[in-house]
Amino acid sequence: METRTKLCYGPSAGRNTANVQEYLIFHIPGNPGLIPYYDPFFSTLHTLLESTPDLQSSNFHICGHSLLGFEPSEHDAQRGPPELAGLERQIEYIDGLLYDHVDEVRQKPGGITPKVILMGHSVGAYILLEIIRRHRKQIEGGYQDFDLIGGILLFPTITHIARSPSGIVASALLGIPGSAHIGSAIVKALTYFIPSDFLNHLVRLIIRFPEHAARATTALIKSPIGIKEILYLAKDEMGMITDDKWGEEIWGAATDPGTSKGDTIHSNLIFFWGNHDAWVARKTRDELIRARGFLKQSDDNWKPTMYVDESKKIPHSFCLKHSEVVAEKVRKWVWEIIDVHNQIGNQ
């Protein structure tokens, strides 16, 4: 059972392409890093954005890629056999893909360079912040090839993931020597002789996954190193995602009134956490919000906007069964990012 490593939703056929601004919403998945898990989320968000009256003069390209190690086949002609990839290598890989997608949009009729909004889920939010840091360095070096105007961080695991309830358990298990190889071998042994279609049926029946998630999970289990990559990357996350490592130049990435028209260092950041998230320790989350988030009673309007799910119903793995409600929130935040950026540009 094959699955896609790239997912893109572009402007609908017949949509106006003259005198419009192109936007690339580039999504970075969590771990496991299979982009097909997000298909209903992308589809819903695409429909919502194209039907928003205030965004009719904009075209949206919503794109994302699977992380390294989650390839569905034994060999990729462009990259060679799949290899295990740690967090730093994933950052480099996703950073390169972002530039590829900017070039793809730029090469379409009209040759317009898109304005970019990054979106990251779970560890994808950590990768997002690192890409912003790299983009800032490019700007400081005099190299500015596109406007990075905002970032939306969904259920972000960006500090002390090992202190979370699931992180405590994962750290103990992943501390066992060879745990990634052992875990992968066990899953392979249990599923090797099960046909993909029947395994897909079992995933739907036992885990109660919807069809898109069941197919992605089946492809993950049957992929060459997918299970091993989940565990290998998770171990790297436990070791690397610790203290807040970003300075004011990143946390101050929310647009402030003094930002010049061409300055994309100050990108508008919006964070959204679950209320009860097993991968985020509540104490570290609340400390981060107090230290880095915008508070209504303060004048620090350059700080990021941070939300916690008030409904207490949206889980960390929102892309399985809660795509619609999160897509509606993201639609609103995309509009806000664009609106603020346009106001700054007109000053």
Side-chain angles (χ1 to χ4, degrees):
M1 178 180 291
E2 290 288 312
T3 189
R4 293 164 292 174
T5 58
K6 175 182 177 181
L7 188 62
C8 281
Y9 282 81
S12 298
R15 192 170 173 85
N16 180 33
T17 58
N19 301 316
V20 298
Q21 176 60 55
E22 304 287 336
Y23 291 95
L24 170 62
I25 300 176
F26 186 74
H27 180 68
I28 308 164
N31 182 15
L34 266 75
I35 203 64
Y37 279 119
Y38 300 89
D39 200 345
F41 172 59
F42 276 30
S43 175
T44 304
L45 178 59
H46 178 261
T47 300
L48 290 171
L49 288 173
E50 289 207 335
S51 62
T52 300
D54 291 338
L55 296 175
Q56 292 307 299
S57 61
S58 305
N59 278 339
F60 294 95
H61 306 260
I62 307 172
C63 297
H65 273 260
S66 294
L67 298 180
L68 279 172
F70 296 98
E71 296 86 349
S73 59
E74 292 288 350
H75 181 79
D76 185 305
Q78 293 181 334
R79 295 196 301 268
E83 298 178 359
L84 294 175
L87 187 51
E88 189 60 37
R89 189 170 171 219
Q90 297 286 5
I91 294 168
E92 294 175 359
Y93 174 64
I94 294 298
D95 192 36
L97 288 175
L98 170 59
Y99 281 87
D100 291 344
H101 277 288
V102 170
D103 287 339
E104 280 186 23
V105 177
R106 187 186 285 140
Q107 291 168 12
K108 294 182 183 296
I112 299 175
T113 299
K115 295 182 184 296
V116 175
I117 298 173
L118 295 178
M119 187 163 59
H121 174 218
S122 192
V123 69
Y126 180 95
I127 296 173
L128 182 156
L129 291 175
E130 280 297 287
I131 289 177
I132 290 179
R133 182 180 62 80
R134 292 179 179 219
H135 189 71
R136 178 186 170 85
K137 283 189 175 181
Q138 295 273 42
I139 295 170
E140 290 175 342
Y143 180 73
Q144 182 179 335
D145 55 347
F146 63 85
D147 282 344
L148 175 54
I149 68 169
I152 299 172
L153 297 85
L154 303 171
F155 303 87
T157 54
I158 52 177
T159 60
H160 297 292
I161 187 173
R163 295 180 184 175
S164 68
S166 292
I168 292 171
V169 176
S171 295
L173 294 176
L174 295 171
I176 300 172
S179 56
H181 297 278
I182 295 170
S184 177
I186 292 172
V187 173
K188 291 290 185 184
L190 292 174
T191 61
Y192 185 80
F193 293 105
I194 303 177
S196 293
D197 287 341
F198 186 60
L199 181 59
N200 179 70
H201 176 72
L202 289 178
V203 171
R204 292 194 65 186
L205 182 66
I206 298 172
I207 312 180
R208 302 289 182 180
F209 274 4
E211 179 61 27
H212 80 282
R215 287 191 173 276
T217 302
T218 301
L220 172 66
I221 292 171
K222 291 293 187 179
S223 67
I225 61 170
I227 300 298
K228 194 181 298 183
E229 176 60 29
I230 289 176
L231 301 173
Y232 183 85
L233 178 58
K235 184 176 182 180
D236 217 24
E237 292 174 44
M238 298 302 136
M240 288 185 63
I241 303 178
T242 54
D243 295 328
D244 174 1
K245 62 182 294 186
W246 300 281
E248 296 293 344
E249 74 280 3
I250 302 302
W251 288 113
T255 310
D256 70 74
T259 306
S260 64
K261 189 171 184 178
D263 185 358
T264 58
I265 292 177
H266 300 282
S267 300
N268 195 346
L269 298 180
I270 298 172
F271 291 69
F272 181 71
W273 276 281
N275 201 295
H276 301 288
D277 190 334
W279 288 104
V280 177
R282 179 174 295 193
K283 183 174 183 291
T284 58
R285 180 199 70 193
D286 292 346
E287 288 174 349
L288 189 64
I289 291 174
R290 285 194 295 270
R292 297 299 194 181
F294 168 68
L295 302 175
K296 291 182 179 179
Q297 62 269 31
S298 75
D299 295 325
D300 297 330
N301 58 356
W302 52 269
K303 287 186 174 181
T305 304
M306 297 183 175
Y307 300 99
V308 176
D309 175 32
E310 294 180 354
S311 74
K312 303 181 181 181
K313 295 179 180 180
I314 307 176
H316 185 87
S317 53
F318 76 90
C319 55
L320 300 182
K321 299 179 181 180
H322 293 76
S323 293
E324 290 76 14
V325 65
V326 175
E328 178 56 48
K329 292 179 181 295
V330 171
R331 180 207 64 81
K332 175 176 177 289
W333 296 330
V334 167
W335 179 86
E336 289 176 356
I337 288 171
I338 293 172
D339 185 55
V340 169
H341 181 74
N342 289 340
Q343 289 179 32
I344 297 295
N346 292 329
Q347 288 182 358

